[in-house]
Amino acid sequence: MEDGNLEIFKLENTEPLILKPLNESLKAGGYGSFPSAALDFPDDSIDFLKLLVKDPITTFPGRISGDSLKDIGVLDGDWCLIQKGIEAEPNDIVAAIIENQFFIKRFKPKYDENNQLQELKLKSENPDFSHFEINDETEFFLWGVVTWTFRNWRKL
């Protein structure tokens, strides 16, 4: 068993965070790459809060500790946004309370032919960490769905 790996915070400010995009599109691929997503904002500005948070009342920032999801690029010290009140879909990253500790894991349900939940696994994405097999005896609560993760690439 591992220690919990998620610290939850509350959004204190829901004022718009307006940034002006570059006039030049940023290409991440080779010739013929798709245009920048900034072109989707015709007024030449992006409200980052509106882009990232669909419902400020049910969205919570969290700080991740540990490397149980490192093989999918979620690392120790990354930040995430978690939205409560939306249904988890297979392969979503979810925040769950298991045995009174917060964790983030990959949501892996298995359904029978009648679309009834047959088994539920909360999967790590690192072979050094175990998965959680959720059953009737497991103290478990699905707290929310991770909608975004963030990493600081350079400390300023």
Side-chain angles (χ1 to χ4, degrees), residues 118-143:
Q118 194 172 27
E119 68 180 53
L120 176 58
K121 182 187 294 187
L122 296 182
K123 187 174 183 268
S124 294
E125 294 291 350
N126 177 341
D128 295 337
F129 291 84
S130 59
H131 310 304
F132 288 103
E133 304 284 342
I134 307 300
N135 58 42
D136 292 337
E137 289 81 43
T138 307
E139 190 178 323
F140 164 78
F141 178 70
L142 185 62
W143 199 79

PDB file of all heavy atoms in Angstrom, residues 118-143:
ATOM      1  N   GLN A 118     -18.989  -4.927 -13.446  1.00  0.00           N
ATOM      2  CA  GLN A 118     -18.561  -6.254 -13.013  1.00  0.00           C
ATOM      3  C   GLN A 118     -17.382  -6.151 -12.052  1.00  0.00           C
ATOM      4  O   GLN A 118     -17.332  -6.844 -11.038  1.00  0.00           O
ATOM      5  CB  GLN A 118     -18.177  -7.074 -14.245  1.00  0.00           C
ATOM      6  CG  GLN A 118     -18.024  -8.536 -14.002  1.00  0.00           C
ATOM      7  CD  GLN A 118     -17.841  -9.273 -15.327  1.00  0.00           C
ATOM      8  OE1 GLN A 118     -17.359  -8.711 -16.306  1.00  0.00           O
ATOM      9  NE2 GLN A 118     -18.218 -10.522 -15.342  1.00  0.00           N
ATOM     10  N   GLU A 119     -16.428  -5.300 -12.380  1.00  0.00           N
ATOM     11  CA  GLU A 119     -15.291  -5.057 -11.490  1.00  0.00           C
ATOM     12  C   GLU A 119     -14.749  -3.663 -11.747  1.00  0.00           C
ATOM     13  O   GLU A 119     -14.987  -3.066 -12.794  1.00  0.00           O
ATOM     14  CB  GLU A 119     -14.191  -6.098 -11.682  1.00  0.00           C
ATOM     15  CG  GLU A 119     -13.477  -6.043 -13.001  1.00  0.00           C
ATOM     16  CD  GLU A 119     -12.390  -7.102 -13.118  1.00  0.00           C
ATOM     17  OE1 GLU A 119     -12.671  -8.290 -12.891  1.00  0.00           O
ATOM     18  OE2 GLU A 119     -11.257  -6.715 -13.473  1.00  0.00           O
ATOM     19  N   LEU A 120     -14.034  -3.137 -10.765  1.00  0.00           N
ATOM     20  CA  LEU A 120     -13.441  -1.809 -10.883  1.00  0.00           C
ATOM     21  C   LEU A 120     -12.016  -1.869 -10.377  1.00  0.00           C
ATOM     22  O   LEU A 120     -11.751  -2.339  -9.272  1.00  0.00           O
ATOM     23  CB  LEU A 120     -14.240  -0.781 -10.077  1.00  0.00           C
ATOM     24  CG  LEU A 120     -13.666   0.635 -10.046  1.00  0.00           C
ATOM     25  CD1 LEU A 120     -13.511   1.211 -11.449  1.00  0.00           C
ATOM     26  CD2 LEU A 120     -14.524   1.538  -9.183  1.00  0.00           C
ATOM     27  N   LYS A 121     -11.127  -1.385 -11.216  1.00  0.00           N
ATOM     28  CA  LYS A 121      -9.715  -1.286 -10.858  1.00  0.00           C
ATOM     29  C   LYS A 121      -9.313   0.173 -10.993  1.00  0.00           C
ATOM     30  O   LYS A 121      -9.687   0.847 -11.949  1.00  0.00           O
ATOM     31  CB  LYS A 121      -8.880  -2.150 -11.796  1.00  0.00           C
ATOM     32  CG  LYS A 121      -7.401  -2.155 -11.481  1.00  0.00           C
ATOM     33  CD  LYS A 121      -6.581  -2.893 -12.528  1.00  0.00           C
ATOM     34  CE  LYS A 121      -6.906  -4.359 -12.530  1.00  0.00           C
ATOM     35  NZ  LYS A 121      -6.018  -5.131 -13.419  1.00  0.00           N
ATOM     36  N   LEU A 122      -8.579   0.658 -10.024  1.00  0.00           N
ATOM     37  CA  LEU A 122      -7.937   1.962 -10.136  1.00  0.00           C
ATOM     38  C   LEU A 122      -6.464   1.667 -10.361  1.00  0.00           C
ATOM     39  O   LEU A 122      -5.774   1.150  -9.492  1.00  0.00           O
ATOM     40  CB  LEU A 122      -8.162   2.808  -8.882  1.00  0.00           C
ATOM     41  CG  LEU A 122      -9.617   3.177  -8.631  1.00  0.00           C
ATOM     42  CD1 LEU A 122      -9.750   4.061  -7.402  1.00  0.00           C
ATOM     43  CD2 LEU A 122     -10.232   3.866  -9.829  1.00  0.00           C
ATOM     44  N   LYS A 123      -6.014   1.973 -11.554  1.00  0.00           N
ATOM     45  CA  LYS A 123      -4.737   1.482 -12.053  1.00  0.00           C
ATOM     46  C   LYS A 123      -3.633   2.517 -11.914  1.00  0.00           C
ATOM     47  O   LYS A 123      -3.813   3.689 -12.225  1.00  0.00           O
ATOM     48  CB  LYS A 123      -4.921   1.099 -13.524  1.00  0.00           C
ATOM     49  CG  LYS A 123      -3.756   0.427 -14.172  1.00  0.00           C
ATOM     50  CD  LYS A 123      -4.140  -0.028 -15.579  1.00  0.00           C
ATOM     51  CE  LYS A 123      -3.011  -0.767 -16.237  1.00  0.00           C
ATOM     52  NZ  LYS A 123      -2.159   0.090 -17.019  1.00  0.00           N
ATOM     53  N   SER A 124      -2.479   2.068 -11.475  1.00  0.00           N
ATOM     54  CA  SER A 124      -1.265   2.872 -11.520  1.00  0.00           C
ATOM     55  C   SER A 124      -0.681   2.760 -12.916  1.00  0.00           C
ATOM     56  O   SER A 124      -0.919   1.781 -13.616  1.00  0.00           O
ATOM     57  CB  SER A 124      -0.246   2.362 -10.493  1.00  0.00           C
ATOM     58  OG  SER A 124      -0.723   2.554  -9.191  1.00  0.00           O
ATOM     59  N   GLU A 125       0.076   3.747 -13.298  1.00  0.00           N
ATOM     60  CA  GLU A 125       0.757   3.712 -14.586  1.00  0.00           C
ATOM     61  C   GLU A 125       2.263   3.776 -14.347  1.00  0.00           C
ATOM     62  O   GLU A 125       2.978   4.613 -14.879  1.00  0.00           O
ATOM     63  CB  GLU A 125       0.280   4.863 -15.483  1.00  0.00           C
ATOM     64  CG  GLU A 125      -1.163   4.767 -15.889  1.00  0.00           C
ATOM     65  CD  GLU A 125      -1.461   3.621 -16.857  1.00  0.00           C
ATOM     66  OE1 GLU A 125      -0.516   2.994 -17.377  1.00  0.00           O
ATOM     67  OE2 GLU A 125      -2.652   3.362 -17.094  1.00  0.00           O
ATOM     68  N   ASN A 126       2.708   2.878 -13.493  1.00  0.00           N
ATOM     69  CA  ASN A 126       4.115   2.721 -13.144  1.00  0.00           C
ATOM     70  C   ASN A 126       4.223   1.331 -12.525  1.00  0.00           C
ATOM     71  O   ASN A 126       3.531   1.036 -11.541  1.00  0.00           O
ATOM     72  CB  ASN A 126       4.522   3.811 -12.147  1.00  0.00           C
ATOM     73  CG  ASN A 126       5.949   3.696 -11.672  1.00  0.00           C
ATOM     74  OD1 ASN A 126       6.596   2.649 -11.781  1.00  0.00           O
ATOM     75  ND2 ASN A 126       6.460   4.776 -11.110  1.00  0.00           N
ATOM     76  N   PRO A 127       5.052   0.455 -13.071  1.00  0.00           N
ATOM     77  CA  PRO A 127       5.113  -0.917 -12.551  1.00  0.00           C
ATOM     78  C   PRO A 127       5.605  -1.022 -11.106  1.00  0.00           C
ATOM     79  O   PRO A 127       5.420  -2.055 -10.469  1.00  0.00           O
ATOM     80  CB  PRO A 127       6.073  -1.625 -13.518  1.00  0.00           C
ATOM     81  CG  PRO A 127       6.825  -0.552 -14.208  1.00  0.00           C
ATOM     82  CD  PRO A 127       5.945   0.669 -14.206  1.00  0.00           C
ATOM     83  N   ASP A 128       6.185   0.051 -10.565  1.00  0.00           N
ATOM     84  CA  ASP A 128       6.639   0.034  -9.173  1.00  0.00           C
ATOM     85  C   ASP A 128       5.501   0.228  -8.176  1.00  0.00           C
ATOM     86  O   ASP A 128       5.713   0.134  -6.969  1.00  0.00           O
ATOM     87  CB  ASP A 128       7.694   1.119  -8.948  1.00  0.00           C
ATOM     88  CG  ASP A 128       8.962   0.874  -9.747  1.00  0.00           C
ATOM     89  OD1 ASP A 128       9.222  -0.298 -10.111  1.00  0.00           O
ATOM     90  OD2 ASP A 128       9.689   1.851 -10.016  1.00  0.00           O
ATOM     91  N   PHE A 129       4.296   0.538  -8.666  1.00  0.00           N
ATOM     92  CA  PHE A 129       3.157   0.802  -7.793  1.00  0.00           C
ATOM     93  C   PHE A 129       2.051  -0.202  -8.076  1.00  0.00           C
ATOM     94  O   PHE A 129       1.840  -0.607  -9.216  1.00  0.00           O
ATOM     95  CB  PHE A 129       2.623   2.227  -8.007  1.00  0.00           C
ATOM     96  CG  PHE A 129       3.560   3.294  -7.523  1.00  0.00           C
ATOM     97  CD1 PHE A 129       4.601   3.733  -8.331  1.00  0.00           C
ATOM     98  CD2 PHE A 129       3.412   3.850  -6.269  1.00  0.00           C
ATOM     99  CE1 PHE A 129       5.471   4.715  -7.895  1.00  0.00           C
ATOM    100  CE2 PHE A 129       4.280   4.829  -5.822  1.00  0.00           C
ATOM    101  CZ  PHE A 129       5.318   5.264  -6.635  1.00  0.00           C
ATOM    102  N   SER A 130       1.321  -0.557  -7.020  1.00  0.00           N
ATOM    103  CA  SER A 130       0.235  -1.518  -7.182  1.00  0.00           C
ATOM    104  C   SER A 130      -1.053  -0.808  -7.616  1.00  0.00           C
ATOM    105  O   SER A 130      -1.188   0.400  -7.479  1.00  0.00           O
ATOM    106  CB  SER A 130       0.001  -2.264  -5.865  1.00  0.00           C
ATOM    107  OG  SER A 130      -0.315  -1.349  -4.839  1.00  0.00           O
ATOM    108  N   HIS A 131      -1.971  -1.599  -8.147  1.00  0.00           N
ATOM    109  CA  HIS A 131      -3.294  -1.110  -8.511  1.00  0.00           C
ATOM    110  C   HIS A 131      -4.215  -1.306  -7.309  1.00  0.00           C
ATOM    111  O   HIS A 131      -3.913  -2.055  -6.388  1.00  0.00           O
ATOM    112  CB  HIS A 131      -3.860  -1.897  -9.697  1.00  0.00           C
ATOM    113  CG  HIS A 131      -2.930  -2.015 -10.854  1.00  0.00           C
ATOM    114  ND1 HIS A 131      -2.373  -0.928 -11.491  1.00  0.00           N
ATOM    115  CD2 HIS A 131      -2.457  -3.100 -11.505  1.00  0.00           C
ATOM    116  CE1 HIS A 131      -1.606  -1.339 -12.473  1.00  0.00           C
ATOM    117  NE2 HIS A 131      -1.630  -2.653 -12.503  1.00  0.00           N
ATOM    118  N   PHE A 132      -5.361  -0.642  -7.343  1.00  0.00           N
ATOM    119  CA  PHE A 132      -6.393  -0.865  -6.330  1.00  0.00           C
ATOM    120  C   PHE A 132      -7.527  -1.644  -6.977  1.00  0.00           C
ATOM    121  O   PHE A 132      -8.117  -1.190  -7.958  1.00  0.00           O
ATOM    122  CB  PHE A 132      -6.927   0.457  -5.776  1.00  0.00           C
ATOM    123  CG  PHE A 132      -5.964   1.181  -4.894  1.00  0.00           C
ATOM    124  CD1 PHE A 132      -5.264   2.280  -5.362  1.00  0.00           C
ATOM    125  CD2 PHE A 132      -5.750   0.775  -3.586  1.00  0.00           C
ATOM    126  CE1 PHE A 132      -4.380   2.961  -4.555  1.00  0.00           C
ATOM    127  CE2 PHE A 132      -4.867   1.447  -2.764  1.00  0.00           C
ATOM    128  CZ  PHE A 132      -4.171   2.545  -3.253  1.00  0.00           C
ATOM    129  N   GLU A 133      -7.812  -2.820  -6.462  1.00  0.00           N
ATOM    130  CA  GLU A 133      -8.972  -3.605  -6.881  1.00  0.00           C
ATOM    131  C   GLU A 133     -10.102  -3.210  -5.935  1.00  0.00           C
ATOM    132  O   GLU A 133     -10.051  -3.510  -4.742  1.00  0.00           O
ATOM    133  CB  GLU A 133      -8.691  -5.104  -6.772  1.00  0.00           C
ATOM    134  CG  GLU A 133      -7.482  -5.580  -7.551  1.00  0.00           C
ATOM    135  CD  GLU A 133      -7.726  -5.691  -9.041  1.00  0.00           C
ATOM    136  OE1 GLU A 133      -8.908  -5.723  -9.461  1.00  0.00           O
ATOM    137  OE2 GLU A 133      -6.732  -5.733  -9.786  1.00  0.00           O
ATOM    138  N   ILE A 134     -11.105  -2.533  -6.452  1.00  0.00           N
ATOM    139  CA  ILE A 134     -12.208  -2.048  -5.626  1.00  0.00           C
ATOM    140  C   ILE A 134     -13.277  -3.128  -5.558  1.00  0.00           C
ATOM    141  O   ILE A 134     -13.738  -3.629  -6.582  1.00  0.00           O
ATOM    142  CB  ILE A 134     -12.798  -0.739  -6.200  1.00  0.00           C
ATOM    143  CG1 ILE A 134     -11.702   0.316  -6.418  1.00  0.00           C
ATOM    144  CG2 ILE A 134     -13.928  -0.216  -5.333  1.00  0.00           C
ATOM    145  CD1 ILE A 134     -10.949   0.723  -5.184  1.00  0.00           C
ATOM    146  N   ASN A 135     -13.646  -3.488  -4.333  1.00  0.00           N
ATOM    147  CA  ASN A 135     -14.716  -4.467  -4.141  1.00  0.00           C
ATOM    148  C   ASN A 135     -15.630  -3.979  -3.022  1.00  0.00           C
ATOM    149  O   ASN A 135     -15.463  -2.873  -2.509  1.00  0.00           O
ATOM    150  CB  ASN A 135     -14.140  -5.865  -3.859  1.00  0.00           C
ATOM    151  CG  ASN A 135     -13.243  -5.873  -2.650  1.00  0.00           C
ATOM    152  OD1 ASN A 135     -13.551  -5.260  -1.633  1.00  0.00           O
ATOM    153  ND2 ASN A 135     -12.109  -6.555  -2.747  1.00  0.00           N
ATOM    154  N   ASP A 136     -16.586  -4.813  -2.634  1.00  0.00           N
ATOM    155  CA  ASP A 136     -17.572  -4.413  -1.621  1.00  0.00           C
ATOM    156  C   ASP A 136     -16.946  -4.094  -0.272  1.00  0.00           C
ATOM    157  O   ASP A 136     -17.512  -3.345   0.519  1.00  0.00           O
ATOM    158  CB  ASP A 136     -18.637  -5.501  -1.453  1.00  0.00           C
ATOM    159  CG  ASP A 136     -19.515  -5.638  -2.683  1.00  0.00           C
ATOM    160  OD1 ASP A 136     -19.603  -4.662  -3.459  1.00  0.00           O
ATOM    161  OD2 ASP A 136     -20.101  -6.716  -2.874  1.00  0.00           O
ATOM    162  N   GLU A 137     -15.784  -4.649   0.005  1.00  0.00           N
ATOM    163  CA  GLU A 137     -15.130  -4.411   1.298  1.00  0.00           C
ATOM    164  C   GLU A 137     -14.217  -3.182   1.285  1.00  0.00           C
ATOM    165  O   GLU A 137     -13.752  -2.749   2.327  1.00  0.00           O
ATOM    166  CB  GLU A 137     -14.300  -5.639   1.712  1.00  0.00           C
ATOM    167  CG  GLU A 137     -15.141  -6.844   2.115  1.00  0.00           C
ATOM    168  CD  GLU A 137     -15.636  -7.629   0.903  1.00  0.00           C
ATOM    169  OE1 GLU A 137     -14.834  -7.841  -0.025  1.00  0.00           O
ATOM    170  OE2 GLU A 137     -16.823  -7.993   0.887  1.00  0.00           O
ATOM    171  N   THR A 138     -13.973  -2.624   0.116  1.00  0.00           N
ATOM    172  CA  THR A 138     -13.056  -1.490   0.001  1.00  0.00           C
ATOM    173  C   THR A 138     -13.746  -0.210   0.444  1.00  0.00           C
ATOM    174  O   THR A 138     -14.842   0.101  -0.013  1.00  0.00           O
ATOM    175  CB  THR A 138     -12.581  -1.314  -1.459  1.00  0.00           C
ATOM    176  OG1 THR A 138     -12.065  -2.541  -1.938  1.00  0.00           O
ATOM    177  CG2 THR A 138     -11.515  -0.241  -1.545  1.00  0.00           C
ATOM    178  N   GLU A 139     -13.081   0.520   1.345  1.00  0.00           N
ATOM    179  CA  GLU A 139     -13.562   1.841   1.732  1.00  0.00           C
ATOM    180  C   GLU A 139     -13.140   2.799   0.619  1.00  0.00           C
ATOM    181  O   GLU A 139     -11.973   3.158   0.495  1.00  0.00           O
ATOM    182  CB  GLU A 139     -12.943   2.255   3.069  1.00  0.00           C
ATOM    183  CG  GLU A 139     -13.559   3.496   3.658  1.00  0.00           C
ATOM    184  CD  GLU A 139     -12.942   3.826   5.000  1.00  0.00           C
ATOM    185  OE1 GLU A 139     -12.626   2.906   5.761  1.00  0.00           O
ATOM    186  OE2 GLU A 139     -12.782   5.036   5.261  1.00  0.00           O
ATOM    187  N   PHE A 140     -14.108   3.187  -0.230  1.00  0.00           N
ATOM    188  CA  PHE A 140     -13.808   3.874  -1.484  1.00  0.00           C
ATOM    189  C   PHE A 140     -14.863   4.920  -1.798  1.00  0.00           C
ATOM    190  O   PHE A 140     -16.054   4.697  -1.610  1.00  0.00           O
ATOM    191  CB  PHE A 140     -13.758   2.824  -2.609  1.00  0.00           C
ATOM    192  CG  PHE A 140     -13.839   3.389  -3.993  1.00  0.00           C
ATOM    193  CD1 PHE A 140     -12.728   3.972  -4.579  1.00  0.00           C
ATOM    194  CD2 PHE A 140     -15.016   3.336  -4.714  1.00  0.00           C
ATOM    195  CE1 PHE A 140     -12.797   4.497  -5.864  1.00  0.00           C
ATOM    196  CE2 PHE A 140     -15.102   3.848  -5.996  1.00  0.00           C
ATOM    197  CZ  PHE A 140     -13.981   4.434  -6.566  1.00  0.00           C
ATOM    198  N   PHE A 141     -14.390   6.079  -2.297  1.00  0.00           N
ATOM    199  CA  PHE A 141     -15.285   7.130  -2.763  1.00  0.00           C
ATOM    200  C   PHE A 141     -14.632   7.796  -3.975  1.00  0.00           C
ATOM    201  O   PHE A 141     -13.499   8.280  -3.886  1.00  0.00           O
ATOM    202  CB  PHE A 141     -15.531   8.157  -1.656  1.00  0.00           C
ATOM    203  CG  PHE A 141     -16.402   9.297  -2.068  1.00  0.00           C
ATOM    204  CD1 PHE A 141     -17.753   9.118  -2.313  1.00  0.00           C
ATOM    205  CD2 PHE A 141     -15.870  10.568  -2.228  1.00  0.00           C
ATOM    206  CE1 PHE A 141     -18.558  10.178  -2.709  1.00  0.00           C
ATOM    207  CE2 PHE A 141     -16.653  11.631  -2.620  1.00  0.00           C
ATOM    208  CZ  PHE A 141     -18.009  11.433  -2.860  1.00  0.00           C
ATOM    209  N   LEU A 142     -15.327   7.799  -5.107  1.00  0.00           N
ATOM    210  CA  LEU A 142     -14.833   8.476  -6.306  1.00  0.00           C
ATOM    211  C   LEU A 142     -15.110   9.962  -6.141  1.00  0.00           C
ATOM    212  O   LEU A 142     -16.260  10.397  -6.193  1.00  0.00           O
ATOM    213  CB  LEU A 142     -15.512   7.920  -7.560  1.00  0.00           C
ATOM    214  CG  LEU A 142     -14.994   8.451  -8.877  1.00  0.00           C
ATOM    215  CD1 LEU A 142     -13.526   8.105  -9.069  1.00  0.00           C
ATOM    216  CD2 LEU A 142     -15.811   7.908 -10.020  1.00  0.00           C
ATOM    217  N   TRP A 143     -14.076  10.754  -5.926  1.00  0.00           N
ATOM    218  CA  TRP A 143     -14.218  12.149  -5.547  1.00  0.00           C
ATOM    219  C   TRP A 143     -14.410  13.060  -6.749  1.00  0.00           C
ATOM    220  O   TRP A 143     -15.147  14.030  -6.683  1.00  0.00           O
ATOM    221  CB  TRP A 143     -12.995  12.572  -4.733  1.00  0.00           C
ATOM    222  CG  TRP A 143     -13.197  13.801  -3.931  1.00  0.00           C
ATOM    223  CD1 TRP A 143     -13.852  13.912  -2.741  1.00  0.00           C
ATOM    224  CD2 TRP A 143     -12.748  15.108  -4.269  1.00  0.00           C
ATOM    225  NE1 TRP A 143     -13.837  15.220  -2.316  1.00  0.00           N
ATOM    226  CE2 TRP A 143     -13.163  15.965  -3.235  1.00  0.00           C
ATOM    227  CE3 TRP A 143     -12.042  15.644  -5.337  1.00  0.00           C
ATOM    228  CZ2 TRP A 143     -12.893  17.328  -3.240  1.00  0.00           C
ATOM    229  CZ3 TRP A 143     -11.768  17.001  -5.343  1.00  0.00           C
ATOM    230  CH2 TRP A 143     -12.197  17.834  -4.295  1.00  0.00           C
TER     231      TRP A 143
END
